[in-house]
Amino acid sequence: MNVFIRVDASYEIGTGHVMRCLTLAHRLKKEGKTIAFICRRAEGNCIDLIEQQGFYVYKLPTCEGSLWTYVLEQWETDAKGTIEILQQHYVKKLIVDHYSIDVKWELAIRPFTKKIMIIDDLANRQHDCDILLDQNFYLNKDARYDGLVPPNATLLLGPNHALLREEFIEAKKYIQPFKGKIERLFVFFGGSDPTNETEKVLLAIKPIIDQYKLIVDVVVGNSNPNKLKIKRLCNEIVKAHYHCQVNNIAELMTQADLAIGAGGATTWERIFLQLPTIVIAVAENQIEIAKATHQKGVCIYLGLYNEIFIKDIQNAIGEMLNSNILINKMISNMENFFTSGSTE
């Protein structure tokens, strides 16, 4: 086995880590690499999805309580379970995308792989790695990992290294110029949406959808614990279309004039497709990214989920609906973001 990927998903963690690792896995597979995943069982995991996409998954046992906390506190157990898998193979590279894994775990794993690649965006712990990828945009991105990685580690920093799926690269060819009026909304808060922002947005849209003659595409993942509730709410709203675990999300984005979503990995997909967005951070680690992209004029950041109410969302949508200047300015800022914005 050439490459192993250690990543988890759950209701608590969400699906973003797995989704970006799947994007990377497909790229490596095209290059002729053999890929396998190592995932711990948990409620809301993406193991079936990974297997459906053609990759073998080595499954670590289910843990009690928080998956984040378990891997952080029981790192030796997690490393031991991973080593038992790795030592059966010749491993050229181990890719790790996990906020609870740091230098201690990596040093234990080091004898069983030629190279270690870390995917991160927190810059809050030390790593023993050969490559570190952080696809996010920060105003201080070039200095964030100073002292946290070995001096000879290769750093891949900024959205120019974003793990964009092939469907987004293809969809970019079909972007249409803004028609001068917002007619279609795209709502997506990640695969699990643990704070249920989707419902909050739908309740904000419901009283104004007829007034503005809007069409709304609502996307949820299979791991969203509120998906049936969201589906019922969409059925109550005329021209609100419910989509669950779709494989044409890029197409839906290109059809939209305005998105409302979280500040995670989808940020780069929206910017790449030049889709103006109202952002609500659903986790603390999304705040810095959302503020930085807001400052660059490529989104409107409202705040952290527990500070944002239905009326705030309504007001933000209303402002966007009544300001073509703002929409056009955001689109203009997004046009060159991947070539210039990430290097400033």
Side-chain angles (χ1 to χ4, degrees):
M1 201 67 67
N2 287 334
V3 180
F4 275 84
I5 300 176
R6 174 71 185 95
V7 65
D8 285 331
S10 69
Y11 291 142
E12 174 194 22
I13 291 174
T15 63
H17 297 270
V18 165
M19 296 307 293
R20 65 188 181 188
C21 284
L22 277 169
T23 299
L24 182 55
H26 282 293
R27 286 188 191 176
L28 294 171
K29 188 176 181 180
K30 278 189 175 182
E31 296 173 6
K33 306 290 194 304
T34 304
I35 319 295
F37 283 71
I38 302 173
C39 302
R40 190 168 293 280
R41 290 185 176 95
E43 282 192 273
N45 68 64
C46 289
I47 290 172
D48 287 347
L49 175 62
I50 296 169
E51 292 176 335
Q52 287 165 11
Q53 295 205 18
F55 299 103
Y56 188 83
V57 181
Y58 291 87
K59 304 168 186 68
L60 298 174
T62 305
C63 66
E64 296 293 328
S66 166
L67 186 52
W68 281 138
T69 303
Y70 178 85
V71 176
L72 181 65
E73 295 180 351
Q74 305 297 324
W75 67 268
E76 290 176 289
T77 301
D78 194 276
K80 182 181 177 182
T82 302
I83 289 169
E84 288 174 356
I85 296 165
L86 296 182
Q87 64 186 1
Q88 302 174 43
H89 305 274
Y90 173 66
V91 184
K92 285 189 176 180
K93 183 182 290 183
L94 173 66
I95 299 169
V96 181
D97 189 345
H98 209 298
Y99 291 158
S100 295
I101 286 175
D102 63 11
V103 65
K104 301 187 297 296
W105 188 99
E106 293 149 10
L107 285 170
I109 296 291
R110 174 61 77 177
F112 302 93
T113 178
K114 289 192 71 176
K115 286 188 177 181
I116 295 175
M117 175 178 176
I118 300 297
I119 302 176
D120 190 27
D121 45 50
L122 296 183
N124 66 346
R125 60 205 188 281
Q126 286 193 311
H127 292 291
D128 175 48
C129 63
D130 303 284
I131 305 166
L132 184 138
L133 168 64
D134 184 341
Q135 65 181 0
N136 295 305
F137 174 67
Y138 298 95
L139 298 176
N140 66 334
K141 72 174 183 62
D142 291 324
R144 293 181 81 238
Y145 291 93
D146 288 355
L148 297 180
V149 298
N152 59 343
T154 299
L155 298 179
L156 306 175
L157 306 177
N160 284 335
H161 301 285
L163 295 170
L164 294 167
R165 299 196 299 276
E166 196 64 38
E167 66 171 297
F168 289 94
I169 296 168
E170 185 65 23
K172 192 175 180 70
K173 302 173 185 176
Y174 303 100
I175 295 174
Q176 298 295 316
F178 178 54
K179 299 181 290 293
K181 180 182 178 183
I182 294 174
E183 298 176 340
R184 198 171 191 120
L185 305 183
F186 173 81
V187 180
F188 178 56
F189 282 88
S192 61
D193 187 12
T195 63
N196 199 16
E197 298 308 294
T198 305
E199 180 181 3
K200 192 189 296 183
V201 169
L202 283 172
L203 292 174
I205 291 171
K206 191 174 183 180
I208 64 173
I209 192 168
D210 288 337
Q211 176 187 351
Y212 291 101
K213 298 181 173 60
L214 298 171
I215 299 170
V216 185
D217 289 302
V218 181
V219 178
V220 300
N222 266 333
S223 61
N224 188 319
N226 299 295
K227 60 186 178 184
L228 295 180
K229 189 177 183 182
I230 297 300
K231 184 177 183 179
R232 287 194 295 270
L233 186 53
C234 285
N235 289 338
E236 296 172 9
I237 302 174
V238 177
K239 295 187 178 179
H241 305 296
Y242 173 84
H243 309 271
C244 184
Q245 201 63 47
V246 295
N247 56 13
N248 67 330
I249 195 167
E251 179 186 352
L252 294 174
M253 284 188 188
T254 60
Q255 294 171 358
D257 305 300
L258 175 66
I260 307 170
T266 312
T267 297
W268 317 119
E269 297 165 355
R270 295 185 303 241
I271 293 174
F272 186 73
L273 294 180
Q274 297 169 28
L275 177 58
T277 304
I278 297 169
V279 173
I280 301 170
V282 299
E284 295 281 347
N285 65 293
Q286 296 182 0
I287 296 173
E288 189 177 353
I289 300 168
K291 285 182 176 179
T293 48
H294 176 96
Q295 187 171 328
K296 284 293 181 182
V298 294
C299 76
I300 299 296
Y301 174 51
L302 293 189
L304 189 61
Y305 71 95
N306 57 359
E307 302 167 344
I308 303 302
F309 302 96
I310 292 171
K311 196 64 181 175
D312 300 316
I313 299 169
Q314 276 183 350
N315 291 339
I317 294 172
E319 182 181 356
M320 300 293 274
L321 287 167
N322 293 301
S323 181
N324 285 347
I325 293 175
L326 179 57
I327 291 288
N328 284 316
K329 181 65 175 174
M330 289 175 69
I331 292 171
S332 177
N333 290 337
M334 285 186 278
E335 284 177 354
N336 299 313
F337 186 83
F338 278 86
T339 55
S340 61
S342 63
T343 58
E344 293 178 11

